[in-house]
Coordinates of all heavy atoms in Angstrom, one line a residue:
M27 N 132.9 83.4 37.6 CA 133.6 83.3 38.9 C 132.5 83.3 40.0 O 131.6 84.1 40.0 CB 134.6 84.4 39.1 CG 135.3 84.4 40.4 SD 136.4 85.8 40.7 CE 137.7 85.5 39.6
K28 N 132.7 82.4 40.9 CA 131.7 82.3 42.0 C 132.3 83.1 43.2 O 133.4 83.0 43.6 CB 131.5 80.9 42.5 CG 130.4 80.7 43.4 CD 130.1 79.2 43.6 CE 128.8 79.0 44.3 NZ 128.4 77.6 44.4
I29 N 131.4 84.0 43.7 CA 131.8 84.9 44.8 C 131.0 84.6 46.1 O 129.8 84.5 46.0 CB 131.6 86.4 44.3 CG1 132.3 86.7 43.0 CG2 131.9 87.4 45.4 CD1 131.9 88.0 42.3
L30 N 131.7 84.6 47.2 CA 131.1 84.4 48.5 C 130.9 85.8 49.1 O 131.8 86.6 49.2 CB 132.0 83.5 49.4 CG 131.7 83.4 50.9 CD1 130.3 82.7 51.0 CD2 132.8 82.7 51.6
I31 N 129.7 86.0 49.6 CA 129.3 87.2 50.3 C 128.9 86.8 51.7 O 128.0 86.1 51.9 CB 128.2 88.0 49.7 CG1 128.6 88.3 48.2 CG2 127.9 89.3 50.4 CD1 128.1 87.4 47.2
R32 N 129.7 87.3 52.7 CA 129.4 87.0 54.1 C 129.0 88.2 54.9 O 129.1 89.3 54.4 CB 130.6 86.4 54.8 CG 131.0 85.1 54.2 CD 132.0 84.3 54.9 NE 133.1 85.1 55.5 CZ 134.2 84.7 56.0 NH1 134.4 83.4 56.1 NH2 135.1 85.5 56.5
N33 N 128.5 88.0 56.1 CA 128.0 89.1 57.0 C 126.9 89.9 56.4 O 126.8 91.1 56.5 CB 129.2 90.0 57.3 CG 128.9 90.8 58.6 OD1 128.4 90.3 59.5 ND2 129.3 92.1 58.6
L34 N 126.0 89.2 55.7 CA 124.8 89.9 55.1 C 123.8 90.2 56.2 O 123.5 89.4 57.1 CB 124.1 89.0 54.1 CG 124.7 88.8 52.7 CD1 124.0 87.7 51.9 CD2 124.6 90.1 51.9
D35 N 123.2 91.4 56.1 CA 122.1 91.8 56.9 C 121.0 90.8 56.6 O 120.7 90.4 55.5 CB 121.6 93.2 56.5 CG 120.5 93.7 57.3 OD1 119.6 92.9 57.7 OD2 120.4 94.9 57.6
R36 N 120.4 90.2 57.6 CA 119.4 89.2 57.5 C 118.1 89.6 56.7 O 117.4 88.8 56.2 CB 118.9 88.7 58.9 CG 120.0 88.1 59.8 CD 120.5 86.8 59.3 NE 121.2 86.1 60.3 CZ 122.5 85.8 60.3 NH1 123.2 86.2 59.3 NH2 123.0 85.1 61.3
Q37 N 118.0 90.9 56.5 CA 116.8 91.4 55.7 C 117.1 91.6 54.2 O 116.3 91.9 53.4 CB 116.3 92.8 56.3 CG 116.0 92.8 57.8 CD 115.1 91.7 58.2 OE1 114.0 91.5 57.5 NE2 115.4 90.9 59.2
T38 N 118.4 91.4 53.8 CA 118.8 91.6 52.5 C 118.1 90.6 51.6 O 118.1 89.4 51.9 CB 120.3 91.5 52.3 OG1 120.9 92.5 53.2 CG2 120.8 91.7 50.9
T39 N 117.6 91.0 50.4 CA 117.0 90.1 49.5 C 117.9 89.7 48.4 O 118.9 90.4 48.1 CB 115.7 90.7 48.8 OG1 116.1 91.8 48.0 CG2 114.7 91.2 49.9
Q40 N 117.6 88.6 47.7 CA 118.5 88.2 46.5 C 118.4 89.3 45.4 O 119.5 89.6 44.8 CB 118.0 86.9 45.9 CG 118.3 85.7 46.8 CD 117.9 84.4 46.2 OE1 118.1 83.4 46.9 NE2 117.4 84.3 45.0
E41 N 117.3 90.0 45.3 CA 117.2 91.0 44.3 C 118.1 92.2 44.6 O 118.8 92.7 43.7 CB 115.7 91.5 44.2 CG 114.8 90.5 43.6 CD 114.4 89.4 44.6 OE1 114.5 89.6 45.8 OE2 114.0 88.3 44.1
E42 N 118.2 92.6 45.9 CA 119.1 93.7 46.3 C 120.5 93.3 46.1 O 121.3 94.1 45.6 CB 118.9 94.0 47.8 CG 117.6 94.7 48.1 CD 117.3 94.8 49.6 OE1 117.7 93.8 50.4 OE2 116.8 95.8 50.0
L43 N 120.9 92.1 46.4 CA 122.3 91.6 46.3 C 122.6 91.6 44.8 O 123.7 92.1 44.4 CB 122.4 90.2 46.9 CG 123.8 89.7 47.1 CD1 124.7 90.7 47.9 CD2 123.8 88.3 47.7
A44 N 121.8 91.0 44.0 CA 122.0 90.9 42.5 C 122.2 92.3 41.9 O 123.1 92.5 41.1 CB 120.9 90.1 41.8
S45 N 121.3 93.2 42.3 CA 121.4 94.5 41.7 C 122.7 95.3 42.1 O 123.2 96.0 41.3 CB 120.1 95.3 42.0 OG 120.3 96.3 43.0
L46 N 123.1 95.0 43.3 CA 124.4 95.6 43.7 C 125.6 95.1 42.9 O 126.4 95.9 42.4 CB 124.7 95.3 45.2 CG 125.9 95.8 45.8 CD1 125.9 97.3 45.9 CD2 126.1 95.2 47.2
F47 N 125.6 93.8 42.6 CA 126.7 93.3 41.8 C 126.5 93.6 40.3 O 127.5 93.7 39.6 CB 126.8 91.7 42.0 CG 127.6 91.4 43.2 CD1 127.0 91.4 44.5 CD2 128.9 91.1 43.2 CE1 127.7 91.2 45.6 CE2 129.6 90.8 44.3 CZ 129.0 90.9 45.5
K48 N 125.3 93.8 39.8 CA 125.1 94.1 38.4 C 125.7 95.5 38.0 O 125.9 95.7 36.9 CB 123.6 94.1 38.1 CG 123.0 92.7 37.9 CD 121.5 92.7 37.6 CE 121.0 91.3 37.6 NZ 119.6 91.2 37.4
T49 N 126.0 96.3 39.0 CA 126.6 97.6 38.7 C 128.1 97.4 38.2 O 128.7 98.3 37.6 CB 126.7 98.6 39.9 OG1 127.4 97.9 41.0 CG2 125.3 98.9 40.4
F50 N 128.6 96.1 38.4 CA 129.9 95.8 37.9 C 130.0 94.9 36.7 O 131.0 94.7 36.1 CB 130.7 95.1 39.1 CG 131.0 96.1 40.2 CD1 130.1 96.1 41.3 CD2 132.1 96.9 40.2 CE1 130.3 97.0 42.3 CE2 132.3 97.8 41.2 CZ 131.4 97.9 42.3
G51 N 128.8 94.5 36.3 CA 128.7 93.6 35.1 C 127.6 92.6 35.2 O 126.7 92.7 36.0
S52 N 127.6 91.6 34.3 CA 126.5 90.6 34.3 C 126.6 89.6 35.4 O 127.7 89.2 35.8 CB 126.5 89.9 32.9 OG 127.8 89.3 32.7
V53 N 125.4 89.3 36.0 CA 125.3 88.4 37.1 C 124.6 87.1 36.5 O 123.5 87.2 36.0 CB 124.5 89.0 38.2 CG1 124.2 87.9 39.3 CG2 125.3 90.1 38.8
Q54 N 125.3 86.0 36.6 CA 124.7 84.7 36.1 C 123.7 84.2 37.1 O 122.7 83.7 36.7 CB 125.9 83.8 35.9 CG 125.5 82.5 35.2 CD 126.8 81.7 34.9 OE1 127.8 82.2 34.8 NE2 126.6 80.4 34.8
S55 N 124.0 84.2 38.4 CA 123.1 83.8 39.4 C 123.4 84.5 40.8 O 124.5 85.0 41.0 CB 123.2 82.2 39.6 OG 124.5 81.9 40.2
C56 N 122.4 84.4 41.6 CA 122.5 85.1 43.0 C 121.7 84.2 43.9 O 120.5 84.0 43.7 CB 122.0 86.5 42.9 SG 122.0 87.3 44.5
T57 N 122.3 83.8 45.0 CA 121.6 83.0 46.0 C 122.0 83.4 47.4 O 123.2 83.5 47.7 CB 122.0 81.5 45.8 OG1 121.9 81.1 44.5 CG2 121.2 80.6 46.7
I58 N 121.0 83.6 48.2 CA 121.2 83.8 49.6 C 120.8 82.5 50.3 O 119.8 81.9 50.1 CB 120.3 85.0 50.2 CG1 120.8 86.3 49.6 CG2 120.4 85.0 51.7 CD1 120.1 87.5 50.0
V59 N 121.7 82.0 51.1 CA 121.5 80.7 51.8 C 120.6 80.9 53.0 O 120.7 81.9 53.8 CB 122.9 80.1 52.3 CG1 122.7 78.8 53.1 CG2 123.8 80.0 51.1
V60 N 119.5 80.1 53.0 CA 118.5 80.2 54.1 C 118.4 78.9 54.9 O 118.7 77.8 54.4 CB 117.1 80.5 53.5 CG1 117.1 81.9 52.8 CG2 116.7 79.5 52.5
D61 N 118.0 79.1 56.1 CA 117.7 77.9 57.0 C 116.5 77.1 56.5 O 115.5 77.7 56.1 CB 117.4 78.4 58.4 CG 117.2 77.3 59.4 OD1 118.2 76.8 60.0 OD2 116.1 76.9 59.6
E62 N 116.7 75.8 56.4 CA 115.6 75.0 55.8 C 114.4 75.0 56.6 O 113.3 75.0 56.1 CB 116.1 73.5 55.7 CG 117.2 73.3 54.6 CD 117.6 71.9 54.5 OE1 116.9 71.0 54.9 OE2 118.7 71.6 54.0
K63 N 114.5 75.0 57.9 CA 113.3 75.0 58.8 C 112.6 76.3 58.9 O 111.4 76.4 58.7 CB 113.6 74.5 60.2 CG 114.0 73.0 60.2 CD 114.3 72.5 61.6 CE 114.7 71.1 61.5 NZ 115.1 70.6 62.8
S64 N 113.3 77.4 59.1 CA 112.7 78.7 59.4 C 112.5 79.5 58.1 O 111.7 80.4 58.0 CB 113.5 79.5 60.4 OG 114.7 79.9 59.9
G65 N 113.4 79.3 57.1 CA 113.4 80.1 55.9 C 114.1 81.4 56.0 O 114.1 82.2 55.1
A66 N 114.7 81.6 57.2 CA 115.4 82.9 57.4 C 116.8 82.8 56.9 O 117.4 81.7 56.8 CB 115.5 83.1 59.0
S67 N 117.3 84.0 56.5 CA 118.7 84.1 55.9 C 119.7 83.6 56.9 O 119.6 83.9 58.1 CB 119.0 85.5 55.5 OG 120.3 85.7 55.3
K68 N 120.7 82.9 56.5 CA 121.8 82.5 57.3 C 123.0 83.6 57.4 O 124.0 83.4 58.0 CB 122.4 81.2 56.9 CG 121.5 80.0 57.2 CD 122.2 78.7 57.0 CE 121.5 77.5 57.5 NZ 122.2 76.3 57.4
G69 N 122.8 84.6 56.6 CA 123.7 85.7 56.6 C 124.8 85.6 55.6 O 125.8 86.4 55.7
F70 N 124.7 84.7 54.7 CA 125.7 84.6 53.6 C 125.1 84.2 52.3 O 124.0 83.7 52.3 CB 126.9 83.8 54.0 CG 126.6 82.3 54.0 CD1 127.0 81.5 53.0 CD2 126.1 81.7 55.2 CE1 126.8 80.1 53.0 CE2 125.9 80.3 55.2 CZ 126.2 79.5 54.1
G71 N 125.8 84.4 51.2 CA 125.2 84.0 49.9 C 126.3 83.9 48.9 O 127.5 84.1 49.2
F72 N 125.9 83.6 47.6 CA 126.8 83.5 46.5 C 126.3 84.3 45.3 O 125.1 84.3 45.1 CB 127.0 82.0 46.1 CG 127.6 81.2 47.2 CD1 126.8 80.5 48.1 CD2 129.0 81.1 47.4 CE1 127.3 79.7 49.1 CE2 129.5 80.3 48.4 CZ 128.7 79.6 49.2
V73 N 127.2 84.9 44.6 CA 126.9 85.5 43.3 C 127.9 84.9 42.3 O 129.1 84.7 42.6 CB 127.1 87.0 43.4 CG1 127.0 87.6 42.0 CG2 126.0 87.6 44.3
E74 N 127.4 84.5 41.1 CA 128.2 84.1 40.0 C 128.2 85.1 38.9 O 127.2 85.5 38.5 CB 127.7 82.7 39.5 CG 128.0 81.6 40.4 CD 127.9 80.2 39.8 OE1 128.6 79.9 38.8 OE2 127.0 79.5 40.2
M75 N 129.4 85.5 38.5 CA 129.6 86.4 37.4 C 130.5 85.8 36.4 O 131.6 85.3 36.7 CB 130.3 87.7 38.0 CG 129.5 88.4 39.0 SD 130.2 90.0 39.6 CE 129.9 91.1 38.2
P76 N 130.0 85.7 35.1 CA 130.7 85.0 34.1 C 132.1 85.6 33.7 O 133.0 84.8 33.2 CB 129.8 84.9 32.9 CG 128.8 86.0 33.2 CD 128.7 86.2 34.7
K77 N 132.2 86.9 33.8 CA 133.5 87.5 33.4 C 134.4 87.8 34.6 O 134.1 88.6 35.4 CB 133.2 88.8 32.6 CG 132.4 88.6 31.4 CD 132.2 89.9 30.6 CE 131.4 89.6 29.3 NZ 130.9 90.9 28.7
P78 N 135.6 87.1 34.6 CA 136.5 87.3 35.8 C 136.9 88.7 36.1 O 137.0 89.1 37.2 CB 137.7 86.4 35.4 CG 137.2 85.4 34.4 CD 136.1 86.2 33.6
G79 N 137.1 89.5 35.0 CA 137.5 90.9 35.3 C 136.4 91.7 36.0 O 136.7 92.5 36.9
E80 N 135.2 91.5 35.6 CA 134.0 92.1 36.3 C 133.9 91.6 37.7 O 133.7 92.4 38.7 CB 132.7 91.9 35.5 CG 132.7 92.6 34.2 CD 131.5 92.2 33.4 OE1 130.7 91.3 33.7 OE2 131.3 92.8 32.3
A81 N 134.1 90.3 37.9 CA 134.0 89.7 39.2 C 135.1 90.3 40.2 O 134.8 90.6 41.3 CB 134.1 88.2 39.1
K82 N 136.3 90.4 39.7 CA 137.4 90.9 40.5 C 137.1 92.4 40.9 O 137.4 92.8 42.0 CB 138.7 90.7 39.8 CG 139.2 89.3 39.7 CD 140.4 89.2 38.9 CE 140.8 87.7 38.8 NZ 142.0 87.5 37.9
A83 N 136.6 93.1 39.9 CA 136.3 94.6 40.2 C 135.2 94.6 41.3 O 135.3 95.5 42.2 CB 135.8 95.3 39.0
A84 N 134.2 93.8 41.2 CA 133.1 93.7 42.2 C 133.7 93.3 43.6 O 133.3 94.0 44.6 CB 132.0 92.8 41.8
I85 N 134.5 92.3 43.7 CA 135.1 91.9 44.9 C 135.9 93.0 45.6 O 135.7 93.3 46.7 CB 136.0 90.7 44.7 CG1 135.2 89.4 44.4 CG2 136.9 90.4 46.0 CD1 135.9 88.2 43.9
K86 N 136.8 93.7 44.8 CA 137.6 94.7 45.3 C 136.8 95.9 45.8 O 137.1 96.5 46.9 CB 138.6 95.2 44.2 CG 139.6 96.2 44.6 CD 140.6 96.5 43.5 CE 141.6 97.5 44.0 NZ 142.6 97.9 43.0
S87 N 135.7 96.3 45.0 CA 135.0 97.5 45.4 C 133.9 97.2 46.5 O 133.6 98.1 47.3 CB 134.2 98.0 44.2 OG 135.1 98.4 43.2
L88 N 133.4 96.0 46.6 CA 132.3 95.7 47.5 C 132.7 95.1 48.8 O 131.9 95.1 49.8 CB 131.2 94.8 46.8 CG 130.5 95.5 45.7 CD1 129.6 94.5 45.0 CD2 129.8 96.7 46.1
N89 N 134.0 94.7 49.0 CA 134.4 94.1 50.2 C 134.4 95.2 51.3 O 134.9 96.3 51.1 CB 135.8 93.5 50.1 CG 136.2 92.8 51.4 OD1 135.4 92.0 51.9 ND2 137.4 92.9 51.8
N90 N 133.7 95.0 52.4 CA 133.5 95.9 53.5 C 132.5 97.0 53.1 O 132.5 98.1 53.7 CB 134.8 96.5 54.0 CG 134.7 96.9 55.5 OD1 134.0 96.3 56.2 ND2 135.5 97.9 55.8
H91 N 131.7 96.8 52.1 CA 130.7 97.8 51.7 C 129.5 97.7 52.6 O 129.0 96.6 53.0 CB 130.3 97.4 50.2 CG 129.2 98.3 49.7 ND1 129.5 99.5 49.2 CD2 127.9 98.1 49.5 CE1 128.3 100.0 48.7 NE2 127.4 99.2 48.9
A92 N 128.9 98.8 53.0 CA 127.7 98.8 53.8 C 126.5 98.4 53.0 O 126.2 99.0 51.9 CB 127.5 100.2 54.4
L93 N 125.8 97.4 53.4 CA 124.5 96.9 52.8 C 123.5 96.6 53.9 O 123.8 95.7 54.7 CB 124.8 95.7 51.9 CG 123.6 95.1 51.2 CD1 123.0 96.1 50.2 CD2 124.0 93.8 50.4
G94 N 122.5 97.4 53.9 CA 121.5 97.3 55.0 C 122.2 97.8 56.3 O 122.9 98.8 56.3
D95 N 122.1 97.0 57.4 CA 122.7 97.3 58.7 C 124.1 96.6 58.9 O 124.5 96.5 60.0 CB 121.8 96.9 59.8 CG 120.6 97.9 59.9 OD1 120.7 99.0 59.4 OD2 119.6 97.5 60.4
A96 N 124.7 96.1 57.8 CA 126.0 95.4 58.0 C 126.9 95.8 56.9 O 126.6 96.2 55.8 CB 125.7 93.9 57.9
N97 N 128.2 95.6 57.2 CA 129.3 95.7 56.2 C 129.6 94.3 55.6 O 130.0 93.5 56.4 CB 130.5 96.3 56.8 CG 130.4 97.8 56.9 OD1 129.4 98.4 56.6 ND2 131.4 98.4 57.5
I98 N 129.3 94.1 54.4 CA 129.5 92.8 53.8 C 131.0 92.5 53.6 O 131.8 93.4 53.4 CB 128.7 92.6 52.5 CG1 129.1 93.6 51.4 CG2 127.2 92.6 52.8 CD1 128.5 93.4 50.1
R99 N 131.3 91.2 53.6 CA 132.7 90.7 53.3 C 132.6 89.9 52.0 O 131.7 89.0 51.9 CB 133.2 89.9 54.5 CG 133.5 90.8 55.7 CD 134.3 90.1 56.8 NE 133.9 88.7 57.0 CZ 133.2 88.3 58.1 NH1 132.7 89.2 58.9 NH2 132.9 87.1 58.3
V100 N 133.4 90.2 51.0 CA 133.3 89.7 49.7 C 134.6 89.1 49.3 O 135.6 89.7 49.4 CB 132.8 90.7 48.7 CG1 132.6 90.2 47.3 CG2 131.6 91.5 49.1
K101 N 134.6 87.8 48.8 CA 135.8 87.2 48.3 C 135.4 86.1 47.3 O 134.3 85.7 47.2 CB 136.6 86.6 49.5 CG 136.0 85.4 50.2 CD 137.0 84.9 51.2 CE 136.6 83.5 51.7 NZ 137.6 82.9 52.5
K102 N 136.4 85.7 46.6 CA 136.2 84.6 45.6 C 135.9 83.3 46.4 O 136.5 83.0 47.4 CB 137.5 84.3 44.8 CG 137.4 83.2 43.8 CD 138.7 83.1 43.0 CE 138.6 82.2 41.9 NZ 138.6 80.8 42.2
A103 N 134.8 82.6 46.0 CA 134.5 81.4 46.7 C 135.5 80.3 46.4 O 135.9 80.1 45.2 CB 133.1 80.9 46.3
E104 N 135.8 79.5 47.4 CA 136.7 78.4 47.2 C 136.0 77.2 46.7 O 134.8 77.0 47.1 CB 137.4 78.0 48.6 CG 138.2 79.2 49.2 CD 139.4 79.6 48.3 OE1 140.0 78.8 47.7 OE2 139.7 80.8 48.3
D105 N 136.5 76.4 45.9 CA 135.9 75.2 45.4 C 135.8 74.2 46.6 O 136.7 74.1 47.4 CB 136.7 74.5 44.3 CG 136.6 75.4 43.0 OD1 135.5 76.0 42.8 OD2 137.5 75.3 42.2
K106 N 134.7 73.5 46.7 CA 134.5 72.5 47.7 C 135.4 71.3 47.5 O 135.5 70.9 46.3 CB 133.1 72.0 47.8 CG 132.1 72.9 48.4 CD 130.8 72.2 48.6 CE 129.8 73.1 49.3 NZ 128.4 72.4 49.4
P107 N 136.2 70.9 48.5 CA 137.0 69.7 48.2 C 136.2 68.5 48.0 O 135.1 68.3 48.6 CB 137.8 69.6 49.5 CG 137.1 70.3 50.5 CD 136.2 71.4 49.8
D108 N 136.7 67.6 47.2 CA 135.9 66.3 47.0 C 136.0 65.5 48.2 O 137.0 65.3 48.8 CB 136.6 65.5 45.8 CG 135.9 65.8 44.5 OD1 134.8 66.3 44.5 OD2 136.5 65.5 43.5
T109 N 134.8 65.0 48.7 CA 134.7 64.2 49.9 C 134.6 62.7 49.5 O 134.3 61.9 50.4 CB 133.5 64.6 50.7 OG1 132.3 64.6 49.9 CG2 133.7 66.0 51.3
K110 N 134.8 62.4 48.3 CA 134.7 61.0 47.8 C 136.0 60.2 48.0 O 137.0 60.7 47.9 CB 134.2 60.9 46.3 CG 132.9 61.5 46.1 CD 132.5 61.4 44.7 CE 131.2 62.0 44.4 NZ 130.9 62.1 43.0

């Protein structure tokens, strides 16, 4: 299951984010979206967890969780609509 994490503290690293989610189960991938020009965090990212039950537990427990100087917002990522 792909999970969207918003309102990330700009100093949060992918390693910190992955380790937070690993407390709920296996993490397939973790990406923080960065600005192409500056390389700075855009304040959101994605975590993929292969087991839906673990992903749902992480979403429920981590939504509004304090991480760095911000309370993150966590929800299931919506599939991008086809633009073709």
